[in-house]
Amino acid sequence: MPRYLVTAFFARLADEGTAVAVVMLAVARTGSAAHGAFVLTAWMAPHVLAAPLAGALAERARRPRLFHCGALGGFALAISAVAFSVGRLPLPLVLVVAAAGGCCGPIVSGGLSSLISRLLPAGAERDRAYSWDAVVYNAAAVGGPGAAGLLASAVSPAAAMLALSAAAACACALTALLPLRADIGAEAPTGTEAPARAEGATETPTGAEAPTGTEAFTGAEASPVAPTRLRRDLADGLRTVWRERELRAITAATCLAFTGIGALTTTGVLLATHLGSAGAGGLLMTAFAVGALAGTLGLTRVRPTVSPQRLAVIGLAGTALGLAAAASAPSVPVAAACFAVAGAFDGLVLTVTLRLRADHSPTRRRTQVFTIGAGLKMSAAAAGSALAGLATAGTAREYLAGIALVQAAAALLYVLTRRDARRGTRREVSGGRCGPGAGRSRPSVRPRS
């Protein structure tokens, strides 16, 4: 597991840092931030469009280790190519290069997390692994832009881009050393339907854990899955996210929440300007990122006694309260403290999201569920960022209050969607479609050692 965390950190460090370094590089070479914005848009857009395809290809890959190495290698090469071409080649060619690199983005942002199910068996250890994975996300969100900005200022933006490319190349090399095996959870037999679990249900994944002695694929790359048409795989991945109520609930809630989070950077800068410190916008977002890192790190040390579903509601509601308090803050230090609190709860939401995706996705669709979820969230964040373009320093408080309201609405949406999930679970259990032991009582929380 430590090897995976280092791999994921380097990959996401490169992803987070590139967003800053490419804009600084464009300004240095062309004198136009708009040039960098166009390149960054070309880099980010394929994350949304390529997510279902990337997930389907990853699921079909007979050698998943080789597939992920190829994606990360392409990611590293694309960063280097953008570093070379910005300001030197015609903009359309640069956009094509950036878009090609962006197609590898879903593997970095979501696909890597799906590998945890190939590294650890279901249980408390895997739950903690997803908590650590969320820590890595937030550590990269803090370290990537900071490292890129420091290298760009101390050496040059091009050097920063090449360093980020080297980080992605390190992730590629480390992926080749991961001890992957076939997914440990076996899917339900054909003709049975795995129910969405009620809030108090045990947190084991949808598929039952393979009995001792059946894990003959330890260290193997191939998964014993019959080949299917790619078009069908794409449709099945999207259908899984929609039909599985727990996945639909967390995806809908986090997408709505990220519509607000996407507007947070611009709104934070405007709020700092409104409070009389135009240069402190970065401080507010740094506080949010550090808070998220602290929140996810704390969750790895504490074993919560409530279900992931309740933690999701707590996280969304806490983010709403923190941002609402920041909207009425009288000074930048107070606003930064409120942003840090909101970030801590947002980090909690990320950790829970990763666990719920893993627990409720079928084995064959798990990578698709992760990449589709990440792509939809990024699309929602882009929409929120576009909406924030209408804000001004004078309306910053109102916009931030609106972002807080969106987080609260996301918590409500999750609760309402899960209410339907609980009704569906009762119907399936009463109908006898849940297999042996469907009617047995289950503990509300898995015993913790």
Side-chain angles (χ1 to χ4, degrees):
M1 191 61 199
R3 192 181 302 167
Y4 164 81
L5 293 176
V6 174
T7 302
F9 176 74
F10 277 125
R12 291 161 184 164
L13 186 79
D15 191 28
E16 296 285 349
T18 298
V20 174
V22 72
V23 176
M24 299 180 72
L25 180 64
V27 171
R29 287 185 180 169
T30 68
S32 171
H35 192 102
F38 288 135
V39 176
L40 184 58
T41 300
W43 182 268
M44 300 297 290
H47 282 61
V48 180
L49 302 176
L53 178 60
L57 291 176
E59 294 290 359
R60 293 168 63 89
R62 294 185 177 182
R63 297 181 178 180
R65 184 188 292 115
L66 182 60
F67 176 85
H68 285 81
C69 282
L72 291 171
F75 195 69
L77 288 175
I79 295 174
S80 295
V82 170
F84 169 78
S85 60
V86 169
R88 294 174 176 170
L89 297 180
L91 181 58
L93 291 180
V94 179
L95 297 181
V96 170
V97 172
C103 289
C104 302
I107 297 300
V108 176
S109 59
L112 283 177
S113 295
S114 68
L115 295 181
I116 293 177
S117 64
R118 295 180 180 269
L119 294 169
L120 295 172
E125 188 177 5
R126 186 190 285 183
D127 290 346
R128 285 193 293 272
Y130 282 115
S131 296
W132 280 109
D133 195 39
V135 170
V136 167
Y137 266 108
N138 289 298
V142 175
L150 183 63
L151 276 174
S153 300
V155 185
S156 70
M161 289 285 288
L162 293 177
L164 295 170
S165 175
C170 287
C172 173
L174 289 171
T175 301
L177 304 177
L178 292 178
L180 300 182
R181 53 183 171 179
D183 261 328
I184 299 169
E187 284 190 276
T190 303
T192 63
E193 186 177 13
R197 287 161 294 163
E199 188 168 306
T202 183
E203 299 165 12
T204 52
T206 302
E209 190 174 349
T212 304
T214 62
E215 295 176 5
F217 294 94
T218 301
E221 293 279 3
S223 178
V225 175
T228 57
R229 291 179 179 272
L230 178 59
R231 183 182 303 175
R232 178 181 174 183
D233 284 349
L234 288 171
D236 286 347
L238 294 168
R239 195 178 297 118
T240 298
V241 175
W242 174 253
R243 287 184 175 177
E244 170 56 52
R245 293 183 181 91
E246 198 65 64
L247 293 177
R248 185 169 73 239
I250 194 64
T251 300
T254 53
C255 284
L256 179 58
F258 258 67
T259 304
I261 297 299
L264 196 57
T265 300
T266 301
T267 306
V269 172
L270 294 173
L271 178 65
T273 303
H274 178 75
L275 294 174
S277 182
L283 172 64
L284 296 181
M285 291 312 299
T286 299
F288 187 87
V290 170
L293 176 59
T296 51
L297 190 59
L299 202 60
T300 65
R301 300 296 184 182
V302 178
R303 296 180 181 180
T305 57
V306 296
S307 67
Q309 291 84 356
R310 287 184 179 175
L311 288 177
V313 177
I314 292 171
L316 291 167
T319 304
L321 291 175
L323 294 178
S328 59
S331 63
V332 169
V334 175
C338 294
F339 266 67
V341 171
F345 282 101
D346 184 67
L348 177 63
V349 175
L350 174 60
T351 303
V352 171
T353 300
L354 296 177
R355 287 178 58 183
L356 289 174
R357 285 178 187 166
D359 285 358
H360 293 271
S361 56
T363 302
R364 284 187 59 194
R365 306 294 173 213
R366 186 164 291 142
T367 303
Q368 286 180 274
V369 168
F370 273 89
T371 56
I372 290 171
L376 290 173
K377 284 174 63 176
M378 192 163 292
S379 176
S385 179
L387 292 174
L390 302 174
T392 64
T395 61
R397 290 188 186 275
E398 289 77 8
Y399 263 77
L400 190 56
I403 294 173
L405 185 61
V406 168
Q407 307 306 302
L412 179 60
L413 175 63
Y414 183 69
V415 171
L416 294 177
T417 308
R418 288 209 68 253
R419 180 179 299 172
D420 181 37
R422 287 196 294 271
R423 291 173 180 168
T425 301
R426 294 191 190 102
R427 287 195 298 269
E428 289 174 2
V429 171
S430 62
R433 293 187 291 163
C434 296
R440 298 174 188 169
S441 61
R442 298 181 178 181
S444 60
V445 180
R446 183 194 304 126
R448 305 283 187 176
S449 56

